Each structure stands twice: as structure tokens, then as C-alpha cells.
Amino acid sequence: METLRTISYDYETAGRRIVSIPSELPFSDHLEELRSIRDLEQRQKELAVIAENGNIYEVSSGISSHLLIAEYPHLDLLTILYMAGSGDPAGIRLLYASMLGVQPAAVMIGKLADFRNIKRVMDRIHKKKKTHSELSEAENWFSKKVMMLSMAQKLPDTTEYDPEKPWNSWSEGVRRALAEADDRWDEAVSERAKAEVEALDMKIRNIVASLDPDRRAALGVYLGSLCEENNFRKQAISESIGEGQSDPLILRRGLENIWENVTASLRESEAGTLLVDMFEVQAKKAHTFPQLKAGASLIRSLNMHPEFRKVSGSVDLPSCLHQFITCAGDGIIEAMVPKGTRLDAVKDSSGFELEGEVLTIDLARISRGTFVDEDGLPIDVDWTLATLDKQLSYKSLVLSYMDNDSFLVSLLNNPKASSKPGVVDLISIRCRSLRVLSLVATRRELFTGYANKKVPLNLLMNPCKIPLTSIRKFVHIRYVDKMTLQRLTGRGGNVREDVKREIQRYLDSSH
């Protein structure tokens, strides 16, 4: 048992090195040279379209499809590098998608195979059923899913099997399936692993929905990071399971037949050689997408600290991403800072530990919203703050759980959460659940006040079929100014026809 733990530890931390701050910026001397790429502007336009996709795996797939038919695919990759180095949001997203990697299925599923979260959730549900306590909607759905998986997706026979609690035998069955290396178990194994991720998701949602972020800030920050990693892990399991999906680097999977030619062409330039080096290290370490964003942005922020940035000039993101990929391991960054450097802002910030000249950063514990915005782009940090800690980013959680009615309703029922600026605003414009939007439209505290001033207009413009009786009150200059109401009735007015007629009726009567 001890040997297994040691092997796991070595796999996770392999290749971790100290990052020097201020860092070398390996791409800084080469970005200007990339301006001379043939047909640069046209390439940028074509690639920017790929970056518009909301799913990072589909962006990576889009890059692969584009490169497979490109005459000079290595020039497109260098164009992505140039775009990201110039600070272009599309280029940054494309660069992250190019580096997207997932651990082999056996490694990821092996970490989940104790099914600790499923056991806790299901044992709690089982006890509630025994006492005839009412189950929540989410608990009822999850219980049915676990029982159905046990019956429909069989695993290798296990010695202990309790028909009332079949989930207790999943660990043994999954380990046997992984040991057999037989693809007939792939679906049964991956679905159980995803159920384990969903069980942890349920626990996070329940805590977050009732959390007081003012009193439990550090816990809120950690749960926010855990949620982001958990959502990534769920899709990573789907991406890595199955025959021919063993390569951790998603882009290399898509370009398998031409990969060697592409990398050989890239190595003809210094910038291209650095890019290939990043691909090779990422294929070994498989940093998660959330880690790539947070790690690169954090290293960029440290390099922009006034204590280190003695000369003018920007800190390019590709260089910071290179530093993170090659030096970090298992979400941990170790940085060497000059002796005597004042880093007051990190001393009392969660996730940072400064011992002598070595600053250790745990990306799972830091406030990622300090360094990365909601679109995944790096933020210019205000290093004059006494602490870098921010409260839990409810907006990022809302985006993660936008399709989960139960969570959104629980969040709206938590005054500590719903009063945070932008939370109800985001729900009112992005959500497509009639249940959730009707709640927003009928609860006065959710559509009034400065923080919610955009909510009435968002509800009018939301394409979901919210009953007109619920939103008719917002067709009034008390909630939406007259000029905006007039604009909504025009040809380009982005509202439903029945809402448009109601607005026109109001405008006609107000003359």
C-alpha cells in the first residue's frame, strides 16, 4: 500500500522546478518576428472564429480540423502564439485549447475508484428513505441513477454484493475492470467515475448554496476552485476513455497522422521550438485547463509586481504559460523571489506560503478570481492591497451550474449569495429555466436595488417563455427607460413578439 502511494506521488510531482521571479520570458524576443508570418491577418480572422465556441474541447477539436486541411499548419500554430502574445483574447483561448491535455483514463478513474463521495451521498439518501424523510429533487434523481447504473452497466463479478447498497461493491468491480484492460467495461467504468464526480458536485452545491462567504471566505474560495476542477474532470473522463484515446494531448490526438511533420516544421524557428517543448511537457504532466489559466495568469501577475518590474514593457502570456507548464506540478508552483522582497499582499492570502526566498502557491487554495476573469483572461492585479483574498466568485459558480435549477433556486434563496453584485443579473440574462426566471420575476428583492438594475430589462429580453403576467410590470419607465423600450419595439428589438406588443401598447398609452 505504501509503495502505491509513493508511485502516485512521484507521478504527480514529476518535473516540478523552481520558477525564478522575475522570470525569463522565453517568447519575448521572438514575438515581433512572428509578424512576418505569411497571410497573418487572414489566418488571425479564420482562427478567431474557432475561439468563439463555448466549450474548450470543441475549440481544441476545431483547431485540429482547421490544421488538418491547412497548407502550412505550423504557421497557424505560430499565428495562435502571436495572437496570444499580443494579448488577443481569442489567441489566449486558442493557446490554452492547443495545450489541452487529460491524464489517461486509468489514472483518473483510479483516483476516484474508492467512490467515497457516492458512498456518503447514497448512505445519507438510504437513511432518509428508511425514516421516510422527503428527498430533494437532486437526491431522488441521483439515487435512481446509481441504482440504474448498478443494474444496467455491469462490472466484473465481485465477492461482496449487497442488492440494497450495490454502490459498496463498485470499487472492487472497477479495479478489476481496469486490471483486465478490456474495453467492454469502458462505459460501465466511465459512467461510475462520472457519477462520483457528480456526487462531489452535489456536496459542493449544497455547501455553497447555504454558505455565508463573509464568515467562511477561505472555504468559499477552495470550493470555487474545487468546483471548476470537478467540472473539467467530468468531461476529461469522457475524453480519455475508449480505444485510441490514450494520448494525453488532445491536439496531438487530432493530428496524429501529421503531428511529426507539423512539429518538425515548427522546430525550424526558435519560437516554434519553444512551442513544441511546451507540447511535449504538457503531454507528460497534463495540467488541467483550470490550472493552465490560473497558473499562467498568476506567474504573469508576479512578474508584474512593482518590486520586480523595474523596467517598462509587457509580460507576454505565452512565456508565463511556458514557465507554468515546464515548472509546476500537481497544481503547485514554487517560485524563488529575491531576498528582502516585500510581498505583503501574499502573506495573509490563502494558498500562498513564503519561507525565506521560496514562495509556494497552491492553485486549489488561491482566489483564482484575483488573477483570472470570468472569460479566462489574465487580470492586472493591484499589488497595493493588504491581501489578495477575494470572496467566493458566485458569478463563476452560476456559469458552471447554469443548467442546474435546484442549485440556482437554492442560491437565490440565500440572501448572502443573491445580494452579491452581478449574480441575479447573470441568471436573468443567461438562464433558460422557466422555474428559475419566474422566481426572479416575482421576488421583489431579486429585481430591485442598484445591483439588480439590469434584471428587469434582461427578463424582458430573455427568450424563455416567462409568463407575460410575471414580466408585464417591467414594461414601465420605472424599470426600463423610455428610449430603450422604444428600441425594443423596432426591427432589431431582441424580444419576443408578445413582449414587443405589450411594450408598444404601453408606449401608445403614455403619449
Side-chain angles (χ1 to χ4, degrees):
M1 205 58 195
E2 185 65 29
T3 304
L4 287 174
R5 282 199 294 269
T6 303
I7 291 171
S8 177
Y9 177 78
D10 288 343
Y11 177 86
E12 294 289 355
T13 59
R16 189 187 297 168
R17 303 203 317 263
I18 297 285
V19 178
S20 295
I21 303 293
S23 306
E24 291 183 12
L25 302 175
F27 285 106
S28 61
D29 294 334
H30 307 299
L31 292 174
E32 190 62 31
E33 300 170 16
L34 297 177
R35 284 180 176 272
S36 60
I37 292 174
R38 186 188 312 173
D39 302 321
L40 179 63
E41 286 190 20
Q42 182 60 31
R43 293 180 193 278
Q44 286 177 290
K45 289 179 182 177
E46 293 173 356
L47 290 164
V49 173
I50 300 172
E52 292 173 2
N53 197 299
N55 184 296
I56 196 66
Y57 286 96
E58 291 179 13
V59 175
S60 183
S61 176
I63 295 172
S64 298
S65 299
H66 179 83
L67 297 182
L68 283 171
I69 60 173
E71 186 175 1
Y72 302 104
H74 71 289
L75 294 183
D76 288 299
L77 286 171
L78 291 175
T79 299
I80 290 173
L81 188 63
Y82 172 76
M83 292 167 70
S86 305
D88 180 355
I92 292 172
R93 185 167 174 78
L94 289 164
L95 184 60
Y96 287 143
S98 300
M99 294 294 158
L100 192 62
V102 296
Q103 292 178 338
V107 173
M108 280 191 291
I109 294 172
K111 293 176 183 177
L112 302 170
D114 58 1
F115 297 108
R116 181 179 58 201
N117 294 300
I118 283 178
K119 288 173 182 176
R120 288 183 179 176
V121 171
M122 288 302 295
D123 284 347
R124 185 174 67 246
I125 292 172
H126 190 69
K127 287 176 183 176
K128 290 177 77 171
K129 285 182 177 179
K130 288 285 188 183
T131 59
H132 303 289
S133 300
E134 186 178 357
L135 298 180
S136 69
E137 183 181 336
E139 287 173 332
N140 189 44
W141 170 85
F142 188 76
S143 174
K144 289 178 179 178
K145 177 172 182 173
V146 168
M147 297 304 290
M148 184 62 70
L149 266 176
S150 300
M151 292 185 291
Q153 300 284 350
K154 296 294 185 181
L155 289 169
D157 289 339
T158 55
T159 53
E160 296 181 8
Y161 181 81
D162 180 354
E164 279 199 15
K165 297 183 177 182
W167 56 88
N168 285 333
S169 64
W170 281 12
S171 295
E172 184 185 349
V174 165
R175 289 194 172 99
R176 286 189 179 189
L178 291 175
E180 288 185 20
D182 188 335
D183 61 7
R184 65 178 166 153
W185 308 117
D186 281 355
E187 188 175 357
V189 165
S190 64
E191 288 303 316
R192 282 167 171 79
K194 284 188 278 189
E196 170 67 5
V197 174
E198 288 167 13
L200 176 56
D201 226 19
M202 283 180 66
K203 291 168 65 178
I204 294 171
R205 294 198 310 264
N206 290 338
I207 297 171
V208 168
S210 58
L211 185 71
D212 182 346
D214 298 324
R215 297 179 59 190
R216 306 294 300 277
L219 174 61
V221 166
Y222 173 66
L223 289 173
S225 298
L226 188 59
C227 161
E228 191 178 16
E229 294 289 349
N230 211 40
N231 285 339
F232 176 79
R233 186 185 298 142
K234 190 188 304 181
Q235 193 161 5
I237 292 168
S238 298
E239 291 291 328
S240 62
I241 201 77
E243 187 177 354
Q245 301 296 299
S246 58
D247 194 322
L249 202 61
I250 304 295
L251 186 65
R252 194 161 65 185
R253 292 181 194 173
L255 302 180
E256 183 179 5
N257 295 330
I258 65 168
W259 182 257
E260 294 299 327
N261 291 334
V262 172
T263 53
S265 297
L266 284 172
R267 287 198 179 278
E268 292 174 4
S269 66
E270 291 188 49
T273 299
L274 289 167
L275 190 61
V276 174
D277 292 342
M278 288 170 68
F279 285 134
E280 291 181 351
V281 177
Q282 172 64 353
K284 294 174 182 176
K285 295 188 177 183
H287 298 290
T288 68
F289 175 49
Q291 288 173 350
L292 292 176
K293 293 186 295 180
S297 298
L298 187 142
I299 291 174
R300 173 183 175 272
S301 295
L302 284 173
N303 278 284
M304 294 178 69
H305 193 291
E307 285 278 320
F308 309 133
R309 207 69 191 145
K310 305 298 183 185
V311 295
S312 60
S314 61
V315 179
D316 67 277
L317 190 76
S319 291
C320 299
L321 185 59
H322 183 281
Q323 292 279 298
F324 174 74
I325 287 176
T326 56
C327 297
D330 194 27
I332 304 291
I333 302 171
E334 293 173 312
M336 180 75 72
V337 298
K339 192 173 183 179
T341 301
R342 291 191 60 188
L343 292 173
D344 297 337
V346 305
K347 286 180 181 177
D348 299 315
S349 300
S350 62
F352 292 85
E353 185 178 339
L354 183 60
E355 285 191 17
E357 298 164 41
V358 177
L359 178 65
T360 303
I361 305 129
D362 183 351
L363 294 180
R365 299 283 175 182
I366 68 168
S367 175
R368 295 186 182 184
T370 303
F371 305 97
V372 185
D373 69 14
E374 289 159 16
D375 296 318
L377 303 176
I379 293 173
D380 291 335
V381 174
D382 182 0
W383 288 104
T384 64
L385 297 173
T387 175
L388 294 176
D389 277 345
K390 284 187 175 180
Q391 293 175 342
L392 171 65
S393 174
Y394 277 105
K395 290 174 73 175
S396 64
L397 282 170
V398 166
L399 288 171
S400 297
Y401 293 122
M402 190 61 76
D403 59 349
N404 191 299
D405 289 11
S406 298
F407 174 74
L408 294 181
V409 170
S410 297
L411 203 66
L412 292 171
N413 286 330
N414 178 2
K416 290 287 187 180
S418 61
S419 63
K420 297 299 176 186
V423 170
V424 184
D425 184 8
L426 190 59
I427 293 173
S428 65
I429 198 167
R430 295 280 190 95
C431 185
R432 295 297 179 263
S433 165
L434 188 58
R435 175 190 174 194
V436 175
L437 293 172
S438 295
L439 179 64
V440 173
T442 53
R443 289 257 297 274
R444 185 171 180 78
E445 72 273 16
L446 299 178
F447 61 77
T448 57
Y450 182 78
N452 298 329
K453 64 180 182 179
K454 294 181 181 179
V455 171
L457 177 59
N458 291 344
L459 291 173
L460 291 176
M461 296 180 66
N462 195 300
C464 187
K465 297 285 187 180
I466 312 171
L468 196 57
T469 52
S470 298
I471 58 175
R472 180 177 285 122
K473 57 180 171 286
F474 302 131
V475 183
H476 195 285
I477 57 172
R478 181 189 306 145
Y479 296 106
V480 182
D481 66 88
K482 190 171 184 178
M483 187 173 294
T484 300
L485 288 173
Q486 289 174 333
R487 178 172 54 80
L488 293 179
T489 62
R491 181 174 294 180
N494 191 21
V495 294
R496 293 157 25 199
E497 283 301 317
D498 56 339
V499 175
K500 188 178 290 188
R501 287 193 297 271
E502 187 66 28
I503 295 173
Q504 189 62 59
R505 190 179 297 117
Y506 169 75
L507 292 173
D508 291 342
S509 65
S510 62
H511 284 314

